[in-house]
Amino acid sequence: MISSKKQSRTLPADREAPRAAPGQLIEADSAARALNILGDRWTLMIISYAFVDVRRFEDFQNRIGIARSLLTDRLRRLVEVGVFRREQYCERPPRFEYRFTEMGRDLYGASLMIIRWEKRWFYDRNIPAHTIRHDCGKVFTPEYRCKACGGVIYARDTYSEPGPGAGFDPAPKSRAQRRSIVDRALPEDSMMQRATDVLGDRWTSHIIAAAFLGHSRFGEFEQALGVASNILADRLSRLVELGVFKQRLYQDKPERWEYKLTQEGLDLFPLVLELVRWGDRWLSTKEGVPRIIYHRPCGHVLEGVITCDQCEGEVTRHSTAI
């Protein structure tokens, strides 16, 4: 876990901590800021296809199978936050392509970490992203290593301290999302087929990120995220069903449960670190990053580098092919 040198208070019961009320503040976190933009299945799919040069509205719609109204909304949001820019390619009628900005291109590492997790737990050679090649010529699985010492990074080997930008952000506003939409099937050859089941809902992805900060009880998640109790109960149940969390009874009367990451869930840690890195770079305040993460084995401030598991060379957008 991204443990803190200063341990947080352990809540004695699931629901003792009140959830953040509308307008209330929650602790600033770069991964949470990133997920407020990216934690949506359609957004994830749009970005994944943009990395294989899908740029036009009709092409996104055909590849993903998304309703026009949803696609219009997600593309608009990605332009507004700076991930995409619009470029006109036809005057009559006016038509636009959606191309990555530098901010958008910098999400390639997060996309690789999603591919890594999918390939390790749900390998399917019919999904193009699972047979990605490095420029060494081999099909590979991305690895996440410490740039300072070269060691593979595990959650248990990191700790954090408040950074210069530590503080509070507004609690995220709830967006109604029906389970029928969350569970809608994607095309069989979708590049992130399984990952969207886990990460394609804003609250499930926020809960996973919060678990890596040491939260495990209902009240802790409620307080940390400012999420409504009914939404939290539903998403925790969903994450248990998906095998990302396991439940442990820690109190009999009344029954109260802890939610711990399984090995499958722990293996999402490199993705969370990439979201932190991206959020630190693009979403920090002028004061700086909210939290500094250290790699315990070498003692350095953690800087991750993505490598090929076949040749150990660094992996970039320009050194891979699908």
Side-chain angles (χ1 to χ4, degrees), residues 60-285:
F60 281 119
Q61 187 178 30
N62 292 336
R63 296 292 287 273
I64 301 171
I66 181 175
R68 294 183 66 87
S69 58
L70 285 172
L71 180 56
T72 298
D73 176 73
R74 298 313 191 269
L75 289 172
R76 176 186 57 78
R77 291 184 192 178
L78 289 169
V79 170
E80 287 177 353
V81 298
V83 171
F84 282 159
R85 67 176 188 275
R86 292 206 315 168
E87 289 190 3
Q88 189 168 357
Y89 69 90
C90 180
E91 292 187 3
R92 297 183 181 179
R95 297 189 186 278
F96 297 87
E97 290 185 335
Y98 294 85
R99 293 176 175 264
F100 278 130
T101 61
E102 183 182 355
M103 181 186 189
R105 287 190 295 271
D106 196 35
L107 285 167
Y108 191 62
S111 295
L112 284 176
M113 291 302 96
I114 293 175
I115 291 170
R116 171 193 170 276
W117 181 80
E118 271 214 347
K119 189 171 179 179
R120 285 168 61 89
W121 293 95
F122 304 100
Y123 176 71
D124 183 346
R125 62 183 178 183
N126 293 318
I127 295 178
H130 292 188
T131 56
I132 188 171
R133 289 183 180 272
H134 187 228
D135 60 8
C136 68
K138 295 182 179 180
V139 174
F140 77 104
T141 300
E143 292 185 328
Y144 205 67
R145 294 181 177 271
C146 172
K147 189 172 185 177
C149 69
V152 176
I153 300 168
Y154 300 100
R156 63 178 180 268
D157 293 333
T158 62
Y159 67 93
S160 68
E161 295 177 342
F168 296 90
D169 286 338
K173 296 178 181 179
S174 294
R175 293 198 300 260
Q177 189 172 32
R178 296 173 299 171
R179 285 289 291 271
S180 60
I181 292 177
V182 174
D183 293 334
R184 185 178 296 168
L186 294 168
E188 289 186 2
D189 65 345
S190 292
M191 293 179 63
M192 297 181 178
Q193 181 75 265
R194 306 302 189 281
T196 52
D197 290 339
V198 173
L199 303 168
D201 170 83
R202 183 172 61 136
W203 288 119
T204 56
S205 51
H206 271 292
I207 290 165
I208 291 167
F212 281 112
L213 292 173
H215 301 301
S216 62
R217 297 183 178 182
F218 195 101
E220 293 173 347
F221 287 118
E222 204 171 21
Q223 184 180 46
L225 301 176
V227 55
S229 59
N230 62 318
I231 295 175
L232 178 58
D234 176 77
R235 299 315 193 264
L236 285 170
S237 175
R238 179 174 177 80
L239 288 168
V240 171
E241 291 172 6
L242 290 168
V244 176
F245 280 168
K246 57 187 174 184
Q247 286 179 290
R248 186 184 74 85
L249 186 69
Y250 72 89
Q251 180 177 306
D252 290 322
K253 294 182 180 179
E255 284 191 354
R256 300 198 186 280
W257 301 83
E258 287 185 325
Y259 297 86
K260 297 286 190 178
L261 289 159
T262 62
Q263 190 56 50
E264 181 181 324
L266 287 168
D267 208 31
L268 286 162
F269 188 59
L271 171 60
V272 173
L273 289 179
E274 266 298 291
L275 292 173
V276 169
R277 183 199 63 78
W278 188 80
D280 281 349
R281 180 179 181 188
W282 297 103
L283 305 174
S284 290
T285 63

